[in-house]
């Protein structure tokens, strides 16, 4: 038995009878007829052959010894067409068994096969899968996959992933084969079974791989030894796939095996990080500075009241307990929201995972599955244009496809790593060049990336994916400052109240020393009303409410404070594809036969325009050529899904190729039929035998084109080419005229091609050239041209020179309809928008101008063409020029960022073209660190000379990104936006907000909601601090005059905590209005309480204090009831008939009037800038109306029935006093209008 290698470079390409063989035996091949190599439809000794897409083929050797042959690339010849597969030939007697009868499950000539009813399964391609016993075993175990034996474990495959060497591959093969041998019966060494002979041959292959690794000559990949080592590695990958993993290189696995493989080898869904417990979240919530003060205050209140209260203490503890209860409410609400957020994020993350799909081959069909559903043995199709992120550890299969990987996410090295068949491709890496087919060997925690992620989740010292990080947002910095300032002011007021009470009460009035306890309670009350107890809840509710609402508007907020930070954004650096554009490439113009077909009307398709609406419709002959070039020279991964109405339902693959295939479909051709009926391109039926004669030239950035050579019936090849128009045109010597005839290309023809291409580029289109070339019989497709060079200086393939130009396709990713208005709103809101793209300058300028990022003022002349060369200096920069401008070379030769040079560039910069992910990081860092606003002279110069306004504070930068390499920039920006549809998981993990629809307009929505969060908290502060100012002054006056407060501590607690907490929810639920985007962002250093807010607060506090003071000092005279301090000092024994004692009507009227002033002022606080119509939009917020009504009802119940608990008069207030209370409260509304008028007059009528 022998193992033979066939390669496309061998003489078999031209001689079907010629095969390069590698004898793995120590001696020559046994048998008088030599080896039984299958080729040309028969074996060398006359036996018949059979082919299989499964990559493993069995042939009857006519009684000769078995042969085990693996093709490292493609079997050449007219009879057998196994691409990248394994061909196994056996003795007929071995297949037939002892009775020499053809067994069930074989063809007439002995090739194993399964019953007809399973022909759709991948098991139908098992003909010759190593030996008949395996095929019949598979047949027996259909539906019993648990009995399907795997001779390799997940741990052994994990070691292969870790070591990533050919020796490790050899070790795995050896272990698997030995495990298989261990289960074989006791066949004799003289007459070993076909399975044992196969195992022996695999062991010889293992030995060859090891010998090659020890050979110095084999380390040179261009040497014969190096090429032989690469072939052995390729064969090893095939053996691992077909024999040990029971998969098929061409057909993949059977879908029915998925669950069984998941049980054996693990799942690719990495278990989520353990959720924080509710108690731990409660502990985190209670760390708030304000809540700590309230806890201390409540404990002191209970201790003092209980220890000093004379007689029975039935309700003396209630005030302190109420304070602690309020703390519990805030803590439980905060922790509850965070706890629910964890589950919400898990659900949303799961939905996002469903968008991370890959192309795998199952049951012989290419299907899309989510990353989580990939299992060991899956055949994964990957290319650098689409689906490039690797979801699991894989082994690359042949044939070689110039695949290069970016492993920087794992190794930190940005150098592209070339991969060859047999090499391990790691999960988490990205294909940056070429394409490949690979078999999955390790998933989930068994893969390299999975092990890293598992370690991260098990670690305690990493930043929580759901948390907000270490740095506080601008909002929380300001809130911490306000809380501390209020705490200091409240403490000072409490000390003053205690000192005043002591001096007046003890020194002047001569009160008993025991009154010190009462004085202390009064001072604690002053401190209680000074602290804004509702503020923590208001902040939490505002952020949670906004994040939930943003979710419904396509913004998934991962970090709550990112809501508000986005409201402060001064600059948005945005991608183009998918964000500004629809990410649906569409062919909108075509140039062919010397005629330009631009479909300017968006309601008319390009195909219809070319065939019907053009003044010179395209002829069928030219259409056939165009459709052939596109259909044949596109990747297998690019497919269209057509519905029953012959409409394109969906698509998969490279977006540019999808656009071309849609054009083919709309022109009336069937791209799939063209592929399947073209020799050398089809893998179906009889034509599939010629697939190996075709050759694909993968796209490379050096060649700037992709080509596909197919054999012609007349001999020779036709090479179809597609690529950058400048590369195609430079190599064209002829073109196809409008009648479909080849014509010599003249200088003026090339000029016309170039002119049309430039017009396409200026419209923001991607221009592709299409061409072909016929080659004579015997032409070597690998020949290189000594004179024609690629862009990197390497020699071009001769096959890709002297082309016949077919035409130019103008493909565009159309601008989203809502983007121009969204960008206009950004500029109105004082937010700069900068486009950062990898596209060419002209394409970038076209899109930026259409979107409104570039305006006429950015060009040298408003009437000039809107192209890159007409822009003013630094408005557009290419990545290379940008890097050279903002980096300087250090003394040691290293590159250092130059902030001063950056500050000269960024005020002008609007478009960064041909940029890299590192340029995004540089841009985010430079903008964030810029202090240009401090240089008044430069700012003035920019304004006067260029009409550029510099924001008077540090920039707050929002950055969009979708790729793995965008993650550093997303982390560095103040707010990182990842694309929910096109973004990689790494980008989503690094972002603060995920755009579920990848739409720029959703970023503007985030900015509006962010500003609304800030405004909501300002509204609450305006409301809360008005209450606090009035309450503190009232308590201080009471302390000075009566050494007690007219408002009981429990009443102030209701006003300051429970009612204010409801107010916080009401004001936090205010929906955003468009007016929020009509003023500039808030400075980082601006205080949260503006001057206008101080005017409103002090105005209303003055009104409330005046009312309270009038009621306090003149109420008894006006209304004829006893003074409150007298009633509360009077005991039941002291009271005369008809006199009040205990809780007074006087103080109850003050309390009720005070509360109603707050309720009506809550309506005023919906507006911050002194708007006259404070009721505007109130009915649009049903929650606000409901809470206002609820609070009013609760106040009625408290006054009328809360005698003991809330220290109000027995029986409540009469209707007369209720009328006065409501009238006083209503007075807050006209007071706001008076404040507005006075403010207007004070500002000089401005």
């Amino acid at each position: 038995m022998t193992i033979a290698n066939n390669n496309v470079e061998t003489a078999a390409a031209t001689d079907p009878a010629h095969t390069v063989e590698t004898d793995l035996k120590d001696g020559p091949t046994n048998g008088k007829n030599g080896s039984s190599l299958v080729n040309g439809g028969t074996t060398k000794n006359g036996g018949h052959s059979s082919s299989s897409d499964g990559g493993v083929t069995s042939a009857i050797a006519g009684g000769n010894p078995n042969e085990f042959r693996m093709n490292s690339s493609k079997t050449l010849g007219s009879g057998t067409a196994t691409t990248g597969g394994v061909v196994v030939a056996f003795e007929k007697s071995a297949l037939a068994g002892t009775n020499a009868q053809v067994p069930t499950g074989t063809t007439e000539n002995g090739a194993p096969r399964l019953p007809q009813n399973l022909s759709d399964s991948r098991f139908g391609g098992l003909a010759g899968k190593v030996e008949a016993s395996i095929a019949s075993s598979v047949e027996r175990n259909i539906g019993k996959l648990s009995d399907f034996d795997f001779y390799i474990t997940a741990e052994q495959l994990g070691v292969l992933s870790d070591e990533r060497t050919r020796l490790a591959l050899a070790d795995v093969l050896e272990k698997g084969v030995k495990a298989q041998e261990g289960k074989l019966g006791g066949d004799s060494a003289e007459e070993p079974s076909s399975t044992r002979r196969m195992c022996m041959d695999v062991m010889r292959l293992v030995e060859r791989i090891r010998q090659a690794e020890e050979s110095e000559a084999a380390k040179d990949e261009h040497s014969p030894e190096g090429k032989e080592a690469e072939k052995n590695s390729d064969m090893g990958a095939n053996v691992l796939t077909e024999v040990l993993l029971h998969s098929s290189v061409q057909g993949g696995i059977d879908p029915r095996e998925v669950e069984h493989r998941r049980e054996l080898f693990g799942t690719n869904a990495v278990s989520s990080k353990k959720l924080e417990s509710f108690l731990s979240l409660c502990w985190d919530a209670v760390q708030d500075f304000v809540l700590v003060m309230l806890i201390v205050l409540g404990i002191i209140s209970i201790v003092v009241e209980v220890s000093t209260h004379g007689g029975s203490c039935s309700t003396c503890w209630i005030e302190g307990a109420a304070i602690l209860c309020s703390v519990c409410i805030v803590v439980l609400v905060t922790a509850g929201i965070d706890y629910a957020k964890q589950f919400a994020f898990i659900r949303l993350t799961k939905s996002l995972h469903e968008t991370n799909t890959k192309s795998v081959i199952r049951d012989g069909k290419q299907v899309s599955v989510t990353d989580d559903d990939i299992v060991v043995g899956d055949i994964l199709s990957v290319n650098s244009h689409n689906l490039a992120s690797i979801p699991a550890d894989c082994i690359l299969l042949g044939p070689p496809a110039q695949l290069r990987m970016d492993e920087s996410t794992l190794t930190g090295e940005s150098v592209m790593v070339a991969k060859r068949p047999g090499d391990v491709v790691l999960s988490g890496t990205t294909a940056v060049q070429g394409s490949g087919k690979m078999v999955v060997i390790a998933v989930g925690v068994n893969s390299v990336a999975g092990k890293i992620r598992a370690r991260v989740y098990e670690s305690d010292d990493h930043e929580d994916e759901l948390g907000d990080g270490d740095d506080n947002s601008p909002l929380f910095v300001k809130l911490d400052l306000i809380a501390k300032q209020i705490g200091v002011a409240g403490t000072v007021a409490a000390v003053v109240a205690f000192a005043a009470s002591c001096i007046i009460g003890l020194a002047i009035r001569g009160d008993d020393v025991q009154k010190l306890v009462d004085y202390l309670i009064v001072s604690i009350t002053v401190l209680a009303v000074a602290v804004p107890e509702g503020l923590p809840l208001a902040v939490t509710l505002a952020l949670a409410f906004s994040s939930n609402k943003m979710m419904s508007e396509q913004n998934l907020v991962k970090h709550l404070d990112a809501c508000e930070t986005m409201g402060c954004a001064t600059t948005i650096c945005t991608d183009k594809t998918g964000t500004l554009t629809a990410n649906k490439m569409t062919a909108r113009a075509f140039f062919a036969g010397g005629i330009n077909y631009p479909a300017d009307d968006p309601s008319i398709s390009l195909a219809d325009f070319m065939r019907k609406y053009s003044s010179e419709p395209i002829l069928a002959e030219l259409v056939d050529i165009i459709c052939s070039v596109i259909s044949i020279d596109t990747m297998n991964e690019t497919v269209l899904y057509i519905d029953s109405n012959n409409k394109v339902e969906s698509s998969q693959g490279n977006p540019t190729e999808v656009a071309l295939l849609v054009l083919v479909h709309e022109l009336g051709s069937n791209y799939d039929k063209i592929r399947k009926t073209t020799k050398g391109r089809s893998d179906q039926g009889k034509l599939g035998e010629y697939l190996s004669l075709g050759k694909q030239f993968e796209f490379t950035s050096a060649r700037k084109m992709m080509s596909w050579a197919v054999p012609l019936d007349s001999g020779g090849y036709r090479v179809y080419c597609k690529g950058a128009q400048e590369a195609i045109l430079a190599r064209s010597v002829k073109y196809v005229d409008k009648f479909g005839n080849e014509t010599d290309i003249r200088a003026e023809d090339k000029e016309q091609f170039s002119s049309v291409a430039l017009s396409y580029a200026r419209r923001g289109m991607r221009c592709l050239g299409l061409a072909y070339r016929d080659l004579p019989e015997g032409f070597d497709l690998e020949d290189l041209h000594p004179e024609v060079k690629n862009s990197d200086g390497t020699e071009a393939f001769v096959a890709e020179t002297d082309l016949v130009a077919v035409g130019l396709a103008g493909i565009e990713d159309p601008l989203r309809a809502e983007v121009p208005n969204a960008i206009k709103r950004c500029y109105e809101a004082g937010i700069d928008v900068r486009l950062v793209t990898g596209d060419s300058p002209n394409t970038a300028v076209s899109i930026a101008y259409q979107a409104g990022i570039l305006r006429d003022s950015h060009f040298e002349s408003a009437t000039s063409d809107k192209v890159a060369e007409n822009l003013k200096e630094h408005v557009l920069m290419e990545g290379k020029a940008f890097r050279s401008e903002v980096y300087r070379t250090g003394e040691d030769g290293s590159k250092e960022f130059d902030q001063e040079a950056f500050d000269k560039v960024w005020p002008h910069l609007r478009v960064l073209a041909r940029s890299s992910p590192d340029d995004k990081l540089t841009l985010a860092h430079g903008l964030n660190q810029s202090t240009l606003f401090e240089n008044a002279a430069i700012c003035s110069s920019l304004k006067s000379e260029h009409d550029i306004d510099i924001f008077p504070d540090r920039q707050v930068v929002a950055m969009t990104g979708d790729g793995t390499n965008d993650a550093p920039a997303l982390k560095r920006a103040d707010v990182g936006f990842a694309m929910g549809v096109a973004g990689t998981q790494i980008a989503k993990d690094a972002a603060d907000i995920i755009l579920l629809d990848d739409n720029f307009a959703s970023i503007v929505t985030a900015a509006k909601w962010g500003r609304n969060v800030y405004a909501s908290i300002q509204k609450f502060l305006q409301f809360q601090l008005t209450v606090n100012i009035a309450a503190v002054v009232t308590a201080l006056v009471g302390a000075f005059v009566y050494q007690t407060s007219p408002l009981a501590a429990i009443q102030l607690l209701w006003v300051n905590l429970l009612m204010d907490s409801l107010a916080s929810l009401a004001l936090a639920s205010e929906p955003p209005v468009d007016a929020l985007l009509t003023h500039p962002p808030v400075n980082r250093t601006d205080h949260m309480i503006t001057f206008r807010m101080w005017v409103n607060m002090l105005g209303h506090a003055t009104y409330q204090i005046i009312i309270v003071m009038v009621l306090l000092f003149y109420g008894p005279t006006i209304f004829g009831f006893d003074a409150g301090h007298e009633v509360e000092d009077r005991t039941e024994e002291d009271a005369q008939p008809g006199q009040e004692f205990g809780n007074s009507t006087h103080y109850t009227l003050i309390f009720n009037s005070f509360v109603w002033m707050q309720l009506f002022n809550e309506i005023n606080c919906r507006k911050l800038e002194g708007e006259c119509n404070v009721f505007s939009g109130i009915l649009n917020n049903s929650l606000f109306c409901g809470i206002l009504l609820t609070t009013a009802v609760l106040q009625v119940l408290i006054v009328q029935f809360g005698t003991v608990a809330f220290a109000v008069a027995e029986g409540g207030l009469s209707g007369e006093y209720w009328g006065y209370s409501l009238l006083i409260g209503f007075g807050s509304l006209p007071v706001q209008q008076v404040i507005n008028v006075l403010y207007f007059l004070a500002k000089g009528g401005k």
Side-chain angles (χ1 to χ4, degrees), residues 533-546:
E533 293 91 339
L535 182 58
L537 185 61
V539 174
T540 300
L541 291 175
L543 290 173
F545 177 80
S546 296

Side-chain angles (χ1 to χ4, degrees), residues 472-514:
N472 281 337
S473 71
L475 170 67
F476 283 95
V477 170
K478 294 176 180 181
L479 288 175
D480 286 344
L481 175 63
I482 290 173
K484 290 174 182 176
Q485 290 173 338
I486 292 174
V488 171
T491 303
V492 171
V495 171
V496 170
F498 183 73
S501 297
C502 290
I503 294 172
I504 297 173
L506 298 179
I508 299 177
R509 292 177 51 180
D511 289 341
D512 192 273
V513 176
Q514 290 185 348

Side-chain angles (χ1 to χ4, degrees), residues 651-691:
S651 61
Q652 180 178 305
N654 181 275
T656 301
E657 291 190 340
V658 166
L660 293 174
L661 292 183
V662 169
L663 175 62
V664 170
H665 178 75
E666 292 178 346
L667 284 171
S669 293
N670 186 326
Y671 80 93
D672 193 42
K673 182 178 179 181
I674 294 174
R675 287 181 180 177
K676 290 180 178 179
T677 56
T678 301
K679 186 187 296 184
R681 185 68 175 83
S682 173
D683 58 359
Q684 305 290 316
K686 291 284 187 181
L687 288 178
E689 299 176 2
Y690 301 95
L691 179 61

Side-chain angles (χ1 to χ4, degrees), residues 18 100 116-117 144 166 245 253 331 488 495 610 646 751 810 825 860 874 910 957 1239:
H18 180 75
Q116 185 64 34
N117 64 337
K144 301 178 182 178
R166 290 176 178 174
L245 295 179
I253 66 172
V331 170
V488 171
V495 171
M610 294 170 70
N646 201 34
E751 180 63 31
R825 294 174 68 190
E860 294 291 351
H874 290 153
R910 286 293 174 273
V957 183
Y1239 181 82

Side-chain angles (χ1 to χ4, degrees), residues 282-293:
C282 288
W283 176 252
D284 291 339
V286 85
Q287 306 302 311
D288 184 83
F289 174 74
V290 177
L291 294 181
V292 171
M293 286 197 299

